[in-house]
Structure formats: structure tokens, C-alpha cells
Amino acid sequence: MDPRFIRNFSIIAHIDHGKSTLADQLLLQSGTITEREFRSQILDDLAIERDRGITIKARSVTINYKYEGNTYELNLIDTPGHVDFHYEVSRSLAACEGALLLVDAFQGVQAQTVANAYAAMEANLEIVICVNKIDLAVIRVDEVLEEVETILGLDGTEALRVSAKTGLNVDTVFKAIIEKMPAPTGSPTVPMRALVFDSKYDKYRGVVTYVRMVDGVVRKGDNIRFMREGVNSEVIEIGQFRPGLVPCTELGPGQVGYILTGVKELNRITVGDTVTMAQNRAAAPLPGYAKPKQMVFCGMFPLDATGFEALRDALLKLSLNDSSFSFFPETSDALGFGFRCGFLGMLHMEIVQQRLEIEQDMDLIQTAPNVTYEILDKKGEVIIIDNPQNVPDPSVIEEFREPIAKVTFIVPSENVGTIMQLCQDRRGTYKNTEYLGPKRAQVIYDLPLSEVVYDMYDKLKSVTRGYGTMDYEIVRYEAADLVKMDILVKAERVDALSSIVHRSTADHRGRMLVKRLKKEISKHQFEIAIQAAIGAKVIARETISAFRKNVTAKCYGGDISRKRKLLEKQKEGKKRMKQFGAVEIPQKAFLSVLEATRDD
């Protein structure tokens, strides 16, 4: 197809501002789907997306639209809105020339609106502003457009005013996409280059590779090469997303589609790779993507020790569809063989765990999460710590550093004081306050990432009654008075319960944690001591008393020595059990580290 009639664009916005709803209307009004096929969130095809009502994976769909006698091919890439999935947004923007910036007609510019708009500007995309939800009873369009100009520096005079829910003025969106967004550049005669922007595993057909064509043409039967991995394959099928996988004869410059090669080895195709011809190769690969930096880590272990290989296969399949998390094998004295997994944030971690349980049918034990730290040792070397077990002896540590995040809050004016107090309690450093109008303010703090990722989002929503939003980015590592806190159960250290805490809060968190563990670990036939310790110093202790069985119940009177003999026998048995008996620690106990933090 002639690239002049192709438009590649994304829809970017804050969470719940109507991205998926507008995508549904674009599909419906262009005739891509019929009224009978229409349902809300049609592009959100993961079960977990439909259950939660949020977009997790970027989706692509090709729409044909007739305008002024010409048929245009519009390639829409729907994007997530939550801060944890910002990497998905950046990948989508790299495959586009334009972006629809969606803003809620009542809520206005929110934290992720700002972050996503800046990402689009950095990618040099043409931005079309679209004010959504104008069908609401209470709207403030003029104030919202003033916020767009003040905060983002964008001209709001030609902003579109639509209702994705009712379909009002959606035709103006098509017109703006065609007239304002540039057509892709690229030549069909030069060697083929295509960017792999996503992929997924199909158990019947192997790896399905999602590509954005930049140069050249690809057809069924061509021999292609994945440049980064050096893999040659024959094209079995090519096609486009309409919105399902629909085969076509060829893909040319600017088009978005999929390539099937029959490759079953999951590690042979990576997101960000460049596809070219096996013989007539491109001189240089496309820039690809910056590698995502995981900041939250946790251990994932199979419930059954024999499930290690099955868990490895499940993680491989999921990583093909979500390249922003990492995993590598680890062992735990308490849990056996498993994997240390890295995530972009807490919601990302929760989503991956649920996808493993739902899509891959895995039974998992998950340890409490922790962020990545840096340690400068006495030799001047920097050690990256993503697992508390790897913290070296304090005698070799010169400096313990924690990640610091720049956190931007957009909150109602009356909640500014509450947010500032919340940040001060979490060792925050105040940076700036800017009032966006009479009723809203932007507050910026530098906060330790460990204080942000656990429950800051929940606390923010609670204190602002749902009206506050936040966005954060890692800015640096900073020295702090951090210590490793171990948990001992029956005088044995449980490695999976270790955590890194600030010394000022260690006593309080240690007490909270042993109290929670006392509730989670059931009684045994012997007494169990639960201790929190920093090095050799015990800072908190709780004791789970033993089951008390009445061994003298069968004695009805008679010589007292008979009862004493039974009690002495019970005492000896308990002593032996205390020495050799194993304590069963339930799955819920391993998340007590997180619960203790949330009670802080």
C-alpha cells in the first residue's frame, strides 16, 4: 500500500480517561467490527484485563477508513495508563508517527497524562489533543484546556471534544488523524527492515512476531533474518490485526502486522530486534528499545518441588509477551528451587503472578518483594543487591545506597498538607508545589523507592478520596543507614523472610513482623520462638505456645505418681520434638513482610 495513505498512531492518557472506550468506537464507526461484535474493551483480550477493567498490554489494530475518495489504513496501538506499564507505552510510541492525547473533561490533566505527553514529545510525535467525556453532567472543558497549555505547553485551541462512550464527534477524530498526523516514510525498493515491537506464543503455531515495517516488502515464502539473534527463518504467514489475526499477501513500508515463521524456541526472537531479508540484508539494524530497568524483585517458587521445569517454561512463554520482567534461578533453604523475578512495579508483579496462575495454571509461593539497592564495599566496588540474602557482612560495607524516586503528585488543594505529611513520614525531601488552578496543585517530592512502591498509591487514593494521582521516575541512588533484618523461626534463619530496612524503623517493623508471623504460623506440638534480628542482636520476639494435650484425662483418681509419670513422658516428648521437629510455614507468612510494611 502507498505509505501516503497510512497513519500509525497511539492513544495515550491517564488511567480511566477512556483510551479503550475510544478505541472501541473507532473500530465500530469505521466498520472494522459490527454492532453485533461490539463489546466494551474489545482490544483488552487478557482475562485479567477484563476482570480489572484496565489495559495491561499494548494492542494493535488496523482500521480502513474512507476520506475524500481515498481509503486510508489507520494503525492504532492502544496503550496502558498505569505508571507500572509506562514501558509498554514507550514501545508503542516508537512504532508511531502521531498520538491522540486523551484528557478527561472533568478530571483534567493527571500525573500519567503529563508523563505520557512528555514521552510522546521526546519521540517527536505529532500530538492531537482530545477532550473526552463531554457527555458528563459536570464538565470543565475550558479549565482543562487551560491546564493542558499551562502544564504541558501544548496549544489547546484546536482540541477535539468527544464522548467515547456515546460516539459523539468521533468522526472528527478520524479527520484529525488523517489531516494532522504525518504519513510514514520508507521505500519499498530498499532492503527490508522491520521493528519487532511485540510477540506472543501460540502453542499450535509457535512464536507470533508483531512488526512495524520501516523499509522494503515482505511476502509469504521469503527467507528472513532476525538480526540481533542471527536467526534465519522462512515466512509461513503474514497478516494484520483486524482486530484478530487476518492473513494478507504482503506488508510494505509503514504497515503494521504479524509474521509467522514456525519458530518454537522462545529465546530466538526478542522485542526490539530488526527483521531483514536473509540474502539482501539491511546494512544496519533499527535503534530498537532501551532495556527496561526492573526495580522490584521477589522470589517465585513452585508449590510442588517437581514443578521447577514447568515454572521455567511458563516464565519463558510469559516473558515473550512481556519483555519488561526478568527471571533467573535461585535456591532457598526454606522453599527449594525457584526463580528470582524482577518487575517494573508492584502492580506489574501482581499482574505477572496472576497471569502465571490463570493462563499457565501454576501453583506458586511468592516471597515478599524488595527494591534494588547498591553497596559500595571497602575495595571501592559497587555491588547491585536485588535479594536481601546477598547482602555481605557489615564489616565489608563502606556505603549502603537506596534508589530515590522523583514523585509528582497532582491532588486537590485541600489535600496538599496531608500529602506533605505522608511524604515527610516516609523520609521524603520536599522539592516544589505549583497550583494548577484554584482547586488543584502539583506537589513534587524525592522519596526512597521502597517507600513508594509498596502502598503509596493506595494511601494517596485513600487520603484524597480517589482524586489524587501520582507518577514517579528513578533519579539516583543515595547513601542511607540501611540494615538487613533476618527472621529466625525456632532459632533457624528463614532466608525467604529477610528484608532490608532503614535502621530508624527496624525495631518497629521487626515487632510488627513477628506479631504477624505469630498469627500466620499455626501451633505445633512444641513451643516456637519467632525472632527478628539485625546481625547477632535480636530486636523483637514472639513465642507460639505448644498444643497442650491433656494426657491425664484417662486417669480417674488413683496414685498421683501415675499422673506424674504421664506428664514427665509428655515433657520428654515435647523436648525431643522441639529439637528435631520441623516448623511448617504457610504461603501467607511469606507476604507478612509486606503486610508489616503496610501497617507502618
Side-chain angles (χ1 to χ4, degrees):
M1 186 171 186
D2 190 334
R4 290 180 303 153
F5 300 111
I6 297 174
R7 299 290 184 273
N8 297 318
F9 69 100
S10 275
I11 304 177
I12 54 173
H14 188 79
I15 191 169
D16 284 339
H17 279 202
K19 296 177 298 300
S20 297
T21 309
L22 180 59
D24 295 342
Q25 282 292 345
L26 293 174
L27 292 173
L28 181 64
Q29 295 202 18
S30 64
T32 307
I33 58 171
T34 63
E35 284 280 2
R36 192 167 67 86
E37 294 170 318
F38 178 75
R39 58 177 169 78
S40 62
Q41 288 179 267
I42 194 164
L43 294 183
D44 294 343
D45 55 7
L46 294 178
I48 195 167
E49 288 180 317
R50 304 196 63 76
D51 289 345
R52 285 173 171 260
I54 61 172
T55 301
I56 293 162
K57 282 293 299 171
R59 287 289 177 278
S60 180
V61 64
T62 300
I63 298 168
N64 283 349
Y65 189 76
K66 288 191 175 179
Y67 181 70
E68 293 184 350
N70 295 310
T71 300
Y72 286 82
E73 186 177 286
L74 312 179
N75 293 306
L76 156 67
I77 300 179
D78 187 26
T79 60
H82 195 279
V83 61
D84 277 14
F85 303 109
H86 189 67
Y87 181 68
E88 287 283 328
V89 177
S90 66
R91 277 173 35 191
S92 302
L93 297 181
C96 300
E97 283 79 35
L100 274 176
L101 179 63
L102 212 58
V103 188
D104 190 299
F106 176 71
Q107 292 185 5
V109 174
Q110 300 289 333
Q112 279 303 108
T113 316
V114 178
N116 291 337
Y118 284 158
M121 291 176 198
E122 285 171 15
N124 295 317
L125 301 190
E126 182 65 38
I127 298 173
V128 174
I129 300 163
C130 193
V131 180
N132 189 27
K133 304 187 183 181
I134 62 167
D135 59 308
L136 292 175
V138 180
I139 57 173
R140 48 186 198 94
V141 176
D142 293 337
E143 289 176 45
V144 167
L145 291 175
E146 194 176 318
E147 288 176 8
V148 168
E149 292 182 1
T150 305
I151 302 169
L152 302 176
L154 297 172
D155 183 10
T157 53
E158 295 184 11
L160 309 178
R161 305 179 186 207
V162 305
S163 167
K165 184 178 179 181
T166 63
L168 180 65
N169 294 340
V170 170
D171 56 322
T172 63
V173 176
F174 285 112
K175 183 180 177 184
I177 291 167
I178 292 167
E179 291 185 351
K180 294 183 180 180
M181 292 184 186
T185 56
S187 169
T189 58
V190 300
M192 172 202 166
R193 288 194 304 167
L195 175 68
V196 179
F197 70 88
D198 206 350
S199 55
K200 74 172 185 178
Y201 184 77
D202 186 301
K203 60 183 177 182
Y204 300 110
R205 301 195 289 178
V207 179
V208 183
T209 309
Y210 297 10
V211 295
R212 152 70 202 271
M213 297 293 293
V214 176
D215 291 311
V217 178
V218 63
R219 299 178 180 86
K220 182 179 177 180
D222 284 344
N223 283 314
I224 59 171
R225 180 179 179 83
F226 293 90
M227 296 183 76
R228 185 183 298 173
E229 300 299 328
V231 177
N232 291 352
S233 297
E234 183 184 342
V235 177
I236 297 172
E237 180 182 303
I238 58 171
Q240 293 179 303
F241 311 100
R242 295 182 177 271
L245 304 185
V246 178
C248 64
T249 54
E250 66 177 37
L251 289 174
Q255 290 190 291
V256 175
Y258 68 90
I259 297 176
L260 268 173
T261 58
V263 171
K264 295 284 178 79
E265 294 85 355
L266 303 175
N267 57 355
R268 297 181 73 180
I269 295 174
T270 56
V271 170
D273 201 350
T274 300
V275 184
T276 187
M277 288 296 169
Q279 303 302 323
N280 185 21
R281 296 182 194 173
L286 295 163
Y289 299 117
K291 193 170 179 177
K293 193 172 183 182
Q294 292 87 20
M295 293 307 300
V296 176
F297 286 81
C298 79
M300 286 193 177
F301 297 83
L303 203 59
D304 186 351
T306 59
F308 177 77
E309 289 300 327
L311 179 56
R312 185 201 298 275
D313 291 343
L315 286 168
L316 269 170
K317 288 174 185 174
L318 195 58
S319 68
L320 190 71
N321 191 234
D322 182 359
S323 62
S324 56
F325 87 94
S326 62
F327 63 96
F328 46 89
E330 74 164 356
T331 57
S332 163
D333 295 338
L335 301 172
F337 293 98
F339 293 90
R340 193 79 187 161
C341 302
F343 309 93
L344 302 179
M346 293 291 285
L347 178 64
H348 187 210
M349 181 190 77
E350 196 179 323
I351 294 297
V352 168
Q353 183 202 356
Q354 290 186 15
R355 287 186 70 185
L356 284 169
E357 290 175 343
I358 295 168
E359 296 173 23
Q360 308 292 338
D361 197 25
M362 295 297 304
D363 291 321
L364 298 171
I365 292 177
Q366 177 193 322
T367 63
N370 63 274
V371 301
T372 309
Y373 297 89
E374 282 184 357
I375 287 178
L376 178 68
D377 64 16
K378 300 282 187 184
K379 298 176 185 176
E381 296 176 355
V382 176
I383 307 166
I384 305 296
I385 300 293
D386 55 40
N387 188 339
Q389 296 176 48
N390 300 334
V391 175
D393 189 88
S395 62
V396 303
I397 297 175
E398 181 69 35
E399 196 172 75
F400 213 143
R401 301 169 183 164
E402 64 182 345
I404 302 295
K406 177 188 174 187
V407 188
T408 303
F409 301 94
I410 295 181
V411 297
S413 300
E414 65 265 23
N415 296 126
V416 169
T418 314
I419 290 299
M420 292 177 80
Q421 185 61 52
L422 185 66
C423 293
Q424 290 296 130
D425 293 344
R426 293 171 179 243
R427 302 185 285 123
T429 304
Y430 173 75
K431 288 297 176 186
N432 184 35
T433 300
E434 185 180 341
Y435 284 86
L436 310 177
K439 295 184 179 178
R440 293 205 307 151
Q442 177 179 275
V443 182
I444 299 175
Y445 262 85
D446 278 358
L447 280 157
L449 183 63
S450 59
E451 303 284 356
V452 176
V453 296
Y454 288 133
D455 65 338
M456 178 62 88
Y457 189 75
D458 295 338
K459 287 271 199 267
L460 171 69
K461 288 296 181 186
S462 175
V463 299
T464 62
R465 301 187 304 282
Y467 288 105
T469 59
M470 65 175 265
D471 180 60
Y472 65 86
E473 61 172 328
I474 312 303
V475 288
R476 65 184 181 278
Y477 279 84
E478 197 172 85
D481 190 9
L482 302 170
V483 291
K484 176 189 174 188
M485 185 171 70
D486 289 318
I487 298 300
L488 289 80
V489 177
K490 203 169 77 90
E492 291 182 12
R493 186 171 65 87
V494 181
D495 52 6
L497 290 174
S498 298
S499 58
I500 297 170
V501 297
H502 196 270
R503 196 182 295 276
S504 64
T505 61
D507 287 3
H508 175 67
R509 291 194 177 179
R511 285 194 297 272
M512 294 294 299
L513 181 51
V514 294
K515 281 180 182 175
R516 283 201 166 270
L517 287 171
K518 184 180 179 181
K519 291 178 185 174
E520 302 300 344
I521 298 174
S522 56
K523 284 187 176 184
H524 288 56
Q525 294 286 351
F526 50 89
E527 188 181 87
I528 303 168
I530 305 170
Q531 298 167 306
I534 296 172
K537 182 185 176 185
V538 175
I539 59 172
R541 172 178 171 136
E542 289 286 337
T543 305
I544 301 174
S545 58
F547 271 128
R548 179 160 178 82
K549 183 180 177 184
N550 187 1
V551 292
T552 62
K554 58 187 177 182
C555 300
Y556 299 99
D559 190 356
I560 188 65
S561 62
R562 188 179 172 210
K563 291 185 178 181
R564 283 182 183 149
K565 187 177 178 182
L566 288 170
L567 289 169
E568 284 298 321
K569 190 176 178 183
Q570 183 188 40
K571 188 177 176 183
E572 284 299 316
K574 284 184 181 291
K575 190 176 177 182
R576 245 191 342 271
M577 279 184 123
K578 189 172 183 179
Q579 189 175 352
F580 300 110
V583 180
E584 289 183 16
I585 303 176
Q587 149 71 12
K588 204 172 174 189
F590 292 102
L591 295 177
S592 294
V593 179
L594 180 58
E595 296 299 322
T597 304
R598 285 182 170 163
D599 278 358
D600 201 16

